[in-house]
Amino acid sequence: MNESAGGILDVVVGLAYLVAASLFIVGLKRLSSPRTARRGNLLGAIGMLIAIVATLLNQEIVSFTWIVAGILIGSAIGLWLAKNVKMTSMPQMVALLNGFGGGASQLVAGDEYLRYAAGTISPSLDVQTTIMLSVIIGAITFSGSIIAFAKLQEWVSGKTVVLPGQRFWAFAMFMVMLGIGGWLVIQPADMTLYIALNAIALVMGIFFVMPIGGADMPVVISLLNSYSGLAAAMTGFVLKNNGLIISGALVGASGIILTKIMCDAMNRSLPNVLFGAFAGKTMGGGGPAASAEGKTYRSVGPQDAALLLAYARKVIFVPGYGLAVSQAQHQVREIGEMLQARGIDVSYAIHPVAGRMPGHMNVLLAEANVPYPQLIEMDQINQDFEHTDVAVVIGANDVVNPAARHDKSSPIYGMPILDVDKARTVVVLKRSMATGFAGIDNELFYDEKTRMLFGDARKSLLAVIQELKNV
Amino acid sequence: MEGLLVSLYVFVLAIFVGFEVISKVPQMLHTPLMSGSNAISGITIVGAVVVAGRVESPVSTVLAVVAVAFAMINVVGGFMVTDRMLQMFKARGDTSK
């Protein structure tokens, strides 16, 4: 009797996971339109709640004390983070959350390992294999995400940091990691080796993200996002839980797609991003930028910039990471509204890799209340530049560099760019003539129709707003 | 071994479902997609809860509780922050100015 009741319970729990996984799929599907996205996210959350409640019915659970403690602590921290994070810090936030997901997978696998190492149950080969995979992927996700977070938060240099013997050590560690992992599958009871495996995987994660410069962050964050899903799926294999496997696979797929979109938007392959084609050039400092000497640029004050805008018919704003750094999104929106009130056509051109994560600029401008139909993707807006009177580039650099179209010697040659240089006049807001993250000089800045408005973007825009009021 | 095969089938098919469902998300929603899918990867909470519920050794319990907390940060933080972002996406700016 008791046994059959347990059997029925198992079926109920299993079905609950199926419902949860279905809700995740429907939720993700609804994320594809701004009108349904919010409800889609809610469906995902409901799915998660169902999965958690179902899990609490699990027969293996003896004590709830520690579960409740963990849930309360985690929820409080998660809630605090979600309420307090600034929209400009969203890339860091996503990186950090990714790291926690990966870390959790690593720890769950570790706990399973302890059980088998204690010898109470003898593990099968496949469980042992997936435990090792869980640990490796989870640990790389954890430490890699923490480094990505630290870079975005500027706790460590956001630039390319090449550690001595980088490639050799990364390769050596990778091989050792596979070796130990393989050995532990056959001989699981070696605790020292297990700890070593964890440590090496954590160092691997650090090695993997440290060399990656700020402009390549969108790729890395997408990839880590994918890893956190794969780690969860591996945990699903360990625990023989198909609900976990489905959910993890969905996230893995989502991350892979975003990674591919980001790579395509830079016209670079994934290995090229990860193993740093820009590395040598960035470190050199002098390099291509030296050719800038002798070229002239034209600077402009806020007053003239305001006049240019006020008498335009069509204006396109092109935001980049500099907009996020100086938190100028509200000022941009204000200028946009002032121009619209004058009957000027205003839109925003968004490059897929502008900022530090996929969709970064859209979130910032949405926060500033820019209506989303005005935010236009690269492919749709590029033909509009030639009919545009003023293109305003705010803290963007490499994504508007015309060299990507014609200069075969340029490191960014072939990267799809916003054709800002086709506008009649270009106003570039920039702190100084320094080169962008890729360390490449930008010929747009020396174009005779370009006007440079130097200074912090936010302060410059505030000055332009003042001037616009007087025009 | 048969169970493993079934799980492998599920895994591969789910990846294809993921590709189909997600390839249609517009660039505008890439960040919410990431943070939202990120929250879903917090499904590890299910595994964490199971291991935290067993009473085995103190080391195991500590690992498990940290795992539950980590996964919960991922879940709660992920869904909440995604919601916060999505409520900002409006077809018309409606600041009362």
Side-chain angles (χ1 to χ4, degrees):
Chain A
M1 183 64 206
N2 214 352
E3 199 146 281
S4 84
I8 291 168
L9 199 59
D10 281 347
V11 172
V12 171
V13 171
L15 287 176
Y17 288 145
L18 185 61
V19 171
S22 307
L23 284 173
F24 292 155
I25 294 172
V26 177
L28 283 173
K29 184 140 186 80
R30 297 227 167 145
L31 268 179
S32 62
S33 155
R35 262 173 297 121
T36 55
R38 209 175 161 197
R39 204 171 308 161
N41 184 54
L42 184 65
L43 285 179
I46 293 171
M48 189 61 75
L49 186 65
I50 292 175
I52 294 173
V53 171
T55 308
L56 294 175
L57 299 175
N58 191 303
Q59 306 272 298
E60 281 183 70
I61 295 175
V62 195
S63 154
F64 285 91
T65 325
W66 294 110
I67 297 175
V68 173
I71 287 183
L72 288 181
I73 295 168
S75 303
I77 297 174
L79 198 69
W80 186 85
L81 282 174
K83 289 266 178 219
N84 292 295
V85 65
K86 278 192 192 147
M87 284 300 148
T88 42
S89 305
M90 206 46 83
Q92 291 93 302
M93 173 77 173
V94 171
L96 195 63
L97 291 176
N98 250 326
F100 283 124
S105 294
Q106 181 195 4
L107 291 170
V108 173
D111 208 284
E112 282 290 295
Y113 172 79
L114 283 180
R115 218 165 142 220
Y116 295 129
T120 35
I121 310 155
S122 66
S124 64
L125 217 54
D126 59 300
V127 167
Q128 209 50 47
T129 309
T130 45
I131 285 181
M132 295 313 149
L133 285 174
S134 251
V135 165
I136 292 173
I137 303 175
I140 291 178
T141 311
F142 178 70
S143 61
S145 300
I146 299 299
I147 294 294
F149 166 80
K151 280 182 157 249
L152 291 162
Q153 192 74 21
E154 293 181 349
W155 287 355
V156 299
S157 166
K159 297 232 175 196
T160 300
V161 177
V162 182
L163 309 170
Q166 176 88 27
R167 281 182 209 193
F168 169 76
W169 286 112
F171 182 73
M173 274 193 295
F174 186 72
M175 294 318 283
V176 172
M177 198 169 70
L178 286 189
I180 296 180
W183 179 254
L184 280 170
V185 169
I186 310 161
Q187 294 289 337
D190 194 331
M191 187 63 85
T192 321
L193 270 184
Y194 178 77
I195 293 171
L197 181 70
N198 276 271
I200 295 175
L202 287 172
V203 177
M204 252 327 258
I206 299 173
F207 257 63
F208 152 64
V209 179
M210 271 317 266
I212 292 165
D216 291 338
M217 271 302 164
V219 178
V220 176
I221 294 191
S222 309
L223 195 63
L224 288 170
N225 188 27
S226 173
Y227 284 0
S228 75
L230 293 179
M234 288 307 135
T235 311
F237 279 105
V238 174
L239 299 170
K240 300 192 166 59
N241 182 326
N242 285 331
L244 240 83
I245 295 177
I246 297 175
S247 318
L250 289 174
V251 181
S254 145
I256 292 168
I257 289 176
L258 280 176
T259 309
K260 182 168 185 327
I261 294 174
M262 293 303 119
C263 284
D264 288 351
M266 297 200 294
N267 188 39
R268 292 167 69 195
S269 69
L270 185 57
N272 183 292
V273 173
L274 296 183
F275 303 115
F278 288 168
K281 284 168 182 112
T282 317
M283 295 306 283
S291 65
E293 285 166 27
K295 283 196 261 177
T296 52
Y297 53 85
R298 294 150 195 82
S299 65
V300 71
Q303 191 180 3
D304 291 330
L307 279 173
L308 275 172
L309 291 171
Y311 293 106
R313 267 166 304 148
K314 182 168 172 57
V315 173
I316 298 180
F317 290 100
V318 182
Y321 183 55
L323 177 89
V325 172
S326 77
Q327 313 233 6
Q329 65 271 32
H330 298 280
Q331 285 68 36
V332 176
R333 189 258 309 152
E334 198 174 339
I335 293 179
E337 282 178 357
M338 289 171 95
L339 296 179
Q340 276 184 309
R342 291 171 170 263
I344 299 167
D345 179 7
V346 175
S347 47
Y348 299 80
I350 316 285
H351 193 281
V353 292
R356 289 292 178 266
M357 75 176 158
H360 192 185
M361 292 299 122
N362 301 84
V363 170
L364 282 190
L365 292 170
E367 185 205 8
N369 251 307
V370 175
Y372 65 76
Q374 284 181 22
L375 309 176
I376 304 176
E377 296 184 15
M378 179 168 64
D379 295 340
Q380 272 123 50
I381 203 159
N382 259 348
Q383 66 222 20
D384 290 357
F385 279 109
E386 50 187 302
H387 315 295
T388 299
D389 300 298
V390 187
V392 186
V393 178
I394 306 161
N397 191 344
D398 298 328
V399 297
V400 295
N401 190 344
R405 281 201 309 260
H406 61 76
D407 181 3
K408 287 195 176 147
S409 67
S410 170
I412 58 167
Y413 176 71
M415 167 174 161
I417 58 158
L418 290 162
D419 297 329
V420 170
D421 56 322
K422 294 193 174 153
R424 287 188 195 101
T425 310
V426 183
V427 176
V428 177
L429 278 76
K430 213 172 169 310
R431 267 187 290 209
S432 68
M433 285 307 284
T435 52
F437 264 94
I440 307 155
D441 198 26
N442 192 338
E443 62 183 61
L444 177 73
F445 303 156
Y446 306 99
D447 194 308
E448 57 184 26
K449 60 187 175 188
T450 301
R451 302 286 175 270
M452 304 298 295
L453 179 51
F454 291 116
D456 171 70
R458 190 160 170 272
K459 289 192 186 125
S460 297
L461 291 172
L462 279 169
V464 172
I465 291 172
Q466 278 311 313
E467 296 296 339
L468 266 178
K469 284 180 183 157
N470 304 326
V471 177
Chain B
M1 218 52 184
E2 198 180 321
L4 175 69
L5 260 188
V6 172
S7 292
L8 212 52
Y9 274 53
V10 169
F11 178 64
V12 173
L13 291 178
I15 285 186
F16 279 108
V17 170
F19 281 150
E20 279 306 308
V21 171
I22 289 145
S23 59
K24 292 170 195 107
V25 175
Q27 182 193 316
M28 188 191 356
L29 293 173
H30 278 170
T31 299
L33 168 69
M34 265 212 317
S35 59
S37 63
N38 193 219
I40 292 176
S41 76
I43 187 74
T44 304
I45 183 71
V46 165
V49 164
V50 172
V51 295
R54 297 177 191 142
V55 179
E56 273 164 2
S57 70
V59 183
S60 148
T61 305
V62 170
L63 288 186
V65 173
V66 176
V68 171
F70 272 18
M72 219 48 207
I73 294 174
N74 193 188
V75 167
V76 174
F79 282 119
M80 299 274 301
V81 88
T82 307
D83 188 64
R84 216 183 114 195
M85 270 189 275
L86 288 173
Q87 70 183 10
M88 300 182 322
F89 283 88
K90 298 186 190 96
R92 280 158 197 274
D94 49 0
T95 35
S96 45
K97 277 193 184 173

